[in-house]
Amino acid sequence: MFISDEVLRIVHLVAHYQSIATAAEQLNKVPSALSYTIKKLEESLGVELFERKGRNIGLTPSGEYFIQHSKPILNDIDSLCRNTTLIHTGVEQELTVAFNNIVPKNIISEFISEFEKTFDFTQLTVNTEVYNGCWDAIYHNRADVVVGAPHSVPSSDGIISEHVGYMDWDFVVGPQHSLATHIHPLENRELRQYTAVCIRDTATNFIPLYAWHLEGQKAVFVPDLEIAISLIKRNTAIGYLPHHLARPLLNNGRLIKKSMLEHKHATQLFVAAKTDGLGEAGRWCLEYWLRPDIKFRLNG
C-alpha cells in the first residue's frame, strides 16, 4: 500500500483543525476533495480514522495511532528534501524563525530587512511563540531558529543554543485601579482578588507556563500583549509587562508601576537552532542575534 506525503499532510491538517472545511481552506482546496482523500485512505486501511462530533470531527483510537506514528515520517520527508537541497547549494530554500512574543517588534522588522538583503532565494517565515512554545517550536519542527527562548535549554540533543541576555519585567496596573494608590509593596494575598491577564503559552508538547498567575487567582487568557496592555489600561486586569513595553506607558501616566514583595525575576533569553539541516542562512541568523549591539537591543 502506498500513502503519499500529500495524503499524510491532509490527514494531519484535518486532525489539527478538527474540521475538513477549515483544512480545505488552508490548502486552497474544496472540502469534498479532502473528504474523498480521507475516505479512500480509510478504505485502503480498512479502518475509520475520524468520527463525527457535532459540527466537527475527531480522531478515532485508530486515527490517534495513525497521527502519532505518521508524524515522524512527515518530519523525515521534510528533512530529506531540505538536506538534499542543502547539500547541493549550502543555503536553505526555506527558513522558519520563531520569536518569543516579548521580543521588541522593531528589531524583528530590522532583522527581516537584513535577511532579505542577504538571501535573495531563501523563503523566510516568521512566527510568534509564547513562553515554552518557543522551545516546543524548535524541538518539534515548527521552527529552524528560535529567538528569545526563555529560562533554560530543555535538552542539548540536536540543538545548539546561546545565551543572549535577560528581559526585565514591570508589574503594572491601570491609573484608576484600586491598587494604583497603594504605596506599600504588594503581597500575593491582596493580589489574588484581582483578575490577572495572561498570554496563553503556545506549547503543545511542553508544560505551558505563564508570566504571572497566582494560585487561586482568576485569570483572563488573551492571544497577545497588545490586548493585555489594553485590559490593564482599562483597569480590567493586572499583570507583568516586559520593561521595554511598559516604559513609554509609565512615562506618560497611562500605566502605574507597583512595587511587589515577591517581584518576578528577569527572564533569561536564548537563541537556538536545530543542528540537522543548518545551512548558511541559519548560521547567519545565529551570528546576527549574537552581535553585541543586537543582544543589547533584544533585551529591551
Side-chain angles (χ1 to χ4, degrees), residues 19 58 101 106 115 129 140 165 202 207 255 264 285-286:
S19 167
N101 71 314
N106 61 322
F115 186 95
E129 299 287 347
H140 293 89
T202 52
I207 296 174
L255 289 178
K264 176 180 173 64
C285 287
L286 291 177

Side-chain angles (χ1 to χ4, degrees), residues 64-251:
E64 291 177 354
Y65 178 89
F66 185 88
I67 291 294
Q68 179 183 352
H69 288 82
S70 60
K71 187 174 183 180
I73 297 173
L74 278 177
N75 290 338
D76 287 344
I77 292 173
D78 290 338
S79 295
L80 174 64
C81 296
R82 178 188 179 87
N83 292 341
T84 300
T85 302
L86 192 61
I87 289 171
H88 178 67
T89 66
V91 181
E92 300 93 330
Q93 283 189 323
E94 299 179 359
L95 191 77
T96 298
V97 181
F99 287 89
N100 191 328
N101 71 314
I102 62 177
V103 172
K105 296 297 186 286
N106 61 322
I107 64 172
I108 297 177
S109 298
E110 291 177 16
F111 159 75
I112 295 172
S113 296
E114 288 298 317
F115 186 95
E116 289 299 298
K117 293 176 185 176
T118 307
F119 297 97
D120 294 334
F121 302 106
T122 300
Q123 176 68 55
L124 177 66
T125 299
V126 172
N127 294 327
T128 299
E129 299 287 347
V130 179
Y131 234 117
N132 266 348
C134 298
W135 293 118
D136 197 7
I138 199 76
Y139 282 99
H140 293 89
N141 301 303
R142 296 203 306 272
D144 304 300
V145 178
V146 62
V147 179
H151 297 312
S152 60
V153 183
S155 169
S156 60
D157 186 26
I159 300 293
I160 54 175
S161 62
E162 294 285 348
H163 176 240
V164 291
Y166 294 87
M167 179 71 71
D168 289 320
W169 298 82
D170 292 326
F171 185 81
V172 294
V173 301
Q176 305 302 321
H177 196 279
S178 59
L179 291 173
T181 57
H182 289 214
I183 59 174
H184 63 276
L186 300 175
E187 299 182 46
N188 289 346
R189 60 178 178 78
E190 59 186 319
L191 294 171
R192 282 193 176 90
Q193 62 183 298
Y194 301 104
T195 300
V197 62
C198 301
I199 316 298
R200 191 172 292 280
D201 195 321
T202 52
T204 56
N205 299 283
F206 284 61
I207 296 174
L209 298 173
Y210 305 102
W212 180 76
H213 181 213
L214 301 174
E215 185 178 356
Q217 182 184 31
K218 181 183 178 183
V220 56
F221 293 93
V222 298
D224 55 53
L225 284 163
E226 183 179 2
I227 296 176
I229 291 171
S230 177
L231 291 176
I232 297 174
K233 288 195 297 185
R234 290 172 177 268
N235 309 296
T236 302
I238 59 176
Y240 278 95
L241 293 177
H243 178 65
H244 69 90
L245 289 177
R247 182 172 53 227
L249 298 169
L250 295 173
N251 290 340

